[in-house]
Amino acid sequence: MIYKFRVILDVEEDVFRDIAIQEEDTLEDFHNAIVNAFSFDGMEVASFYTCDDTWNQEDEIPMFDIGDVPGEQKIMSDYALNELLSKEQTKIIYVYDFINMWTFLVELASIEEHETGVTYPNVLFTVGELPDTAPENEFEADNDDYKSEFEDDLDEDDLDMFDGEDNFEDYGFEENWN
């Protein structure tokens, strides 16, 4: 079977590519298809992220094993597309270049029969031009849970531990130790 995806750059203008790829191809194959479809040089690190139906990011699937124990973390080449995506689970997020954070919303649009004579992956449709620089994404928390429990009690005296009556000896070391 052939998976047909719409890969949308997360910007206000319409910038997307429709890509057809074999269901047994890996996420690494899909990464390469996206890089080629958007004319990236392919020299940057990227990851896919599983997500729910409202695009809330879940688990990362990186290009390389970045875990503490080598071989423990599964990477793009370990997943066939049909292992992660189906008619029930159609969405995944793709991030290319963690410095610039090119972020794409990827949705499985259809699952169709293989067409004779067509080479996959295949860019089916192109809309919009990639901007010169990655769009700035604002990552905000939905609530105040990210605030420190001590934030309300913080004042200027807390910021300088050597100000006022305190001195270095109070902290267990001498000012001119070397």
Side-chain angles (χ1 to χ4, degrees), residues 21-154:
I21 187 168
Q22 297 178 69
E23 69 175 333
E24 65 273 356
D25 281 349
T26 66
L27 283 178
E28 183 177 35
D29 297 325
F30 192 34
H31 152 75
N32 291 328
I34 294 170
V35 165
N36 290 329
F38 284 93
S39 300
F40 288 123
D41 62 13
M43 301 303 293
E44 303 299 331
V45 176
S47 284
F48 283 97
Y49 295 88
T50 59
C51 62
D52 62 18
D53 286 339
T54 56
W55 300 104
N56 292 310
Q57 181 177 309
E58 295 171 344
D59 298 325
E60 179 180 16
I61 304 168
M63 288 176 66
F64 309 107
D65 185 350
I66 53 174
D68 293 335
V69 179
E72 185 176 76
Q73 182 176 26
K74 290 181 81 173
I75 59 175
M76 287 182 196
S77 60
D78 294 329
Y79 289 98
L81 291 170
N82 60 8
E83 289 179 51
L84 290 175
L85 299 160
S86 64
K87 289 180 182 179
E88 293 77 35
Q89 176 57 41
T90 61
K91 297 178 180 180
I92 196 164
I93 299 169
Y94 175 72
V95 177
Y96 177 80
D97 183 356
F98 288 100
I99 301 296
N100 293 304
M101 297 295 290
W102 292 95
T103 303
F104 298 86
L105 307 176
V106 180
E107 187 160 16
L108 178 60
S110 67
I111 301 172
E112 300 178 7
E113 293 291 328
H114 185 280
E115 292 181 39
T116 306
V118 176
T119 304
Y120 298 99
N122 185 16
V123 177
L124 304 171
F125 193 64
T126 299
V127 170
E129 294 294 320
L130 197 66
D132 292 335
T133 58
E136 288 190 31
N137 292 317
E138 292 185 26
F139 299 99
E140 297 177 7
D142 292 336
N143 56 38
D144 292 337
D145 288 346
Y146 65 92
K147 290 185 180 179
S148 166
E149 63 185 90
F150 304 107
E151 188 170 343
D152 294 337
D153 297 331
L154 187 65

